[in-house]
Amino acid sequence: MEDRKKILCVGLVCLDIINVVDKYPEEDTDSRCLSQRWQRGGNASNSCTVLSLLGAPSAFMGSLAAGPVADFILDDFKKFHIDISLLSEHAQCVLPASVVISNATTGSRTILHMNSGSRTVVLSDTNLPDVSTVDFSKVDVSQYKWIHWEGRNAEEQVKMIQQVALYNSTLPQQQRTTVSVEIEKIREPLYQLFPYGDVVFVSKDVARHFGFQSAEAAVKGLYSKVKQGAVLICAWAEKGADAVGPDGVIVHSDAFPPEKLVDTLGAGDTFNAGVIYTLSSGGTLQEALTFACRIAGRKCGVHGYDGILEK
């Protein structure tokens, strides 16, 4: 029964309009794309895709604006057999959309989209509401062995996680639902999530914001922010990833770059899914880190997510 419990990811789903180019366009020029495609995006949404491809029953909880684009997104969720029973549609709202410039020569991606963010991302807010505490109060936590939050409306998300903690308090350790949180954006309100995850993913951007110049330094320096017994993980692109658990031992995995760098969009979401998949299946922290780096590397060698599994 425990094996068939799902992994729930809470966060964003959006439309990614991906333009593949052979070189980054100069300003005020007319350039031809090598290709263009629509792809379902959003951190939590992408992690669901990878979990599903790995064979883990996954579910997504988030908001969707009704309309033709929503139909495309719903069809894509179904294609990957992702449970969307907790998806809420909002008729009068605007769906977040991202225009992605994917450089086929370097593998870089530049993102322009409608949601506040960081890195090479320029955004304007939409009116689509994030999942609220009221929404989450209707969730049957017993259906999920793991719930992952993409850090967004952190104050509300803390209250949701507290609901899970209340549920867990009535159960023995082995029957409890594991909570993970991703702190990706450099936004002060998100930092309140640090002490609420059993597993905490902190991004390279956030680590640098706190003054750390390596994943190892970040997990050592930020571990005091997480709760007792938690695991803290930081991926550092081509440098691999580091993690530390309650025993204080630093665990490291090198990166596994593809022969040719093709598409890095969603590599972090793939990494997170790889960690969650391995730990939720009983793997060790070292196994989780190595597997996650390996599958994230394979993702960087293909467009989208088809082909990330080993043949």
Side-chain angles (χ1 to χ4, degrees), residues 200-204 207 214-215 218-219 232-236 240-243 271:
V200 179
F201 298 95
V202 63
S203 72
K204 175 182 175 181
S214 70
V219 296
L232 179 62
I233 299 171
C234 182
W236 208 272
D242 285 76
F271 173 86

Side-chain angles (χ1 to χ4, degrees), residues 2 13 15 44-45 72 101 107 109 204 262 294 299 303:
E2 184 68 24
V13 63
L15 174 68
S45 163
F72 166 82
I101 301 171
R109 86 286 182 275
K204 175 182 175 181
V262 173
R294 192 181 296 277
K299 189 272 150 290
H303 288 292

Side-chain angles (χ1 to χ4, degrees), residues 1-260:
M1 176 64 183
E2 184 68 24
D3 285 346
R4 299 318 297 164
K5 283 190 174 185
K6 295 171 184 169
I7 297 171
L8 175 63
C9 298
V10 184
L12 175 71
V13 63
C14 66
L15 174 68
D16 288 343
I17 303 169
I18 300 167
N19 303 277
V20 181
V21 297
D22 58 2
K23 65 176 183 178
Y24 192 83
E26 294 180 25
E27 187 175 358
D28 200 24
T29 60
D30 190 342
S31 304
R32 189 178 294 273
C33 295
L34 299 176
S35 66
Q36 185 184 76
R37 70 183 189 275
W38 281 19
Q39 184 172 293
R40 174 172 50 82
N43 292 17
S45 163
N46 291 340
S47 290
C48 279
T49 298
V50 177
L51 286 165
S52 180
L53 286 168
L54 291 171
S58 68
F60 174 79
M61 186 175 192
S63 299
L64 191 63
V69 176
D71 294 339
F72 166 82
I73 286 173
L74 291 170
D75 286 344
D76 198 65
F77 272 127
K78 289 170 187 171
K79 171 187 168 185
F80 287 95
H81 309 291
I82 296 164
D83 179 350
I84 50 172
S85 58
L86 297 175
L87 189 67
S88 59
E89 290 197 54
H90 300 266
Q92 304 303 317
C93 294
V94 177
L95 184 81
S98 308
V99 176
V100 181
I101 301 171
S102 177
N103 188 331
T105 304
T106 66
S108 72
R109 86 286 182 275
T110 303
I111 309 170
L112 303 156
H113 62 174
M114 298 188 295
N115 257 325
S116 53
S118 60
R119 293 175 312 224
T120 49
V121 180
V122 182
L123 301 168
S124 62
D125 287 334
T126 72
N127 59 351
L128 191 66
D130 280 311
V131 175
S132 71
T133 310
V134 173
D135 297 327
F136 191 79
S137 66
K138 300 165 188 170
V139 174
D140 179 3
V141 177
S142 68
Q143 290 187 37
Y144 307 101
K145 63 178 177 179
W146 191 298
I147 304 180
H148 173 71
W149 273 268
E150 167 195 350
R152 295 184 60 78
N153 53 334
E155 194 167 323
E156 283 286 286
Q157 291 178 323
V158 165
K159 295 174 186 174
M160 297 178 217
I161 296 169
Q162 287 171 336
Q163 291 181 26
V164 179
L166 187 62
Y167 165 82
N168 281 340
S169 68
T170 65
L171 296 170
Q173 184 66 41
Q174 65 273 18
Q175 293 178 24
R176 294 176 183 174
T177 299
T178 302
V179 167
S180 60
V181 297
E182 177 194 31
I183 304 168
E184 183 199 27
K185 305 286 194 295
I186 303 172
R187 294 214 308 263
E188 189 71 34
L190 297 184
Y191 307 151
Q192 65 190 289
L193 291 170
F194 270 110
Y196 287 96
D198 300 306
V199 177
V200 179
F201 298 95
V202 63
S203 72
K204 175 182 175 181
D205 288 344
V206 170
R208 280 180 162 170
H209 174 72
F210 278 99
F212 302 106
Q213 298 305 314
S214 70
E216 180 180 0
V219 296
K220 283 180 180 176
L222 294 171
Y223 192 73
S224 62
K225 292 182 176 292
V226 304
K227 70 179 182 180
Q228 186 176 3
V231 170
L232 179 62
I233 299 171
C234 182
W236 208 272
E238 70 280 359
K239 298 289 180 63
D242 285 76
V244 64
D247 61 4
V249 176
I250 303 293
V251 176
H252 172 79
S253 172
D254 288 340
F256 295 85
E259 288 185 18
K260 177 176 170 51

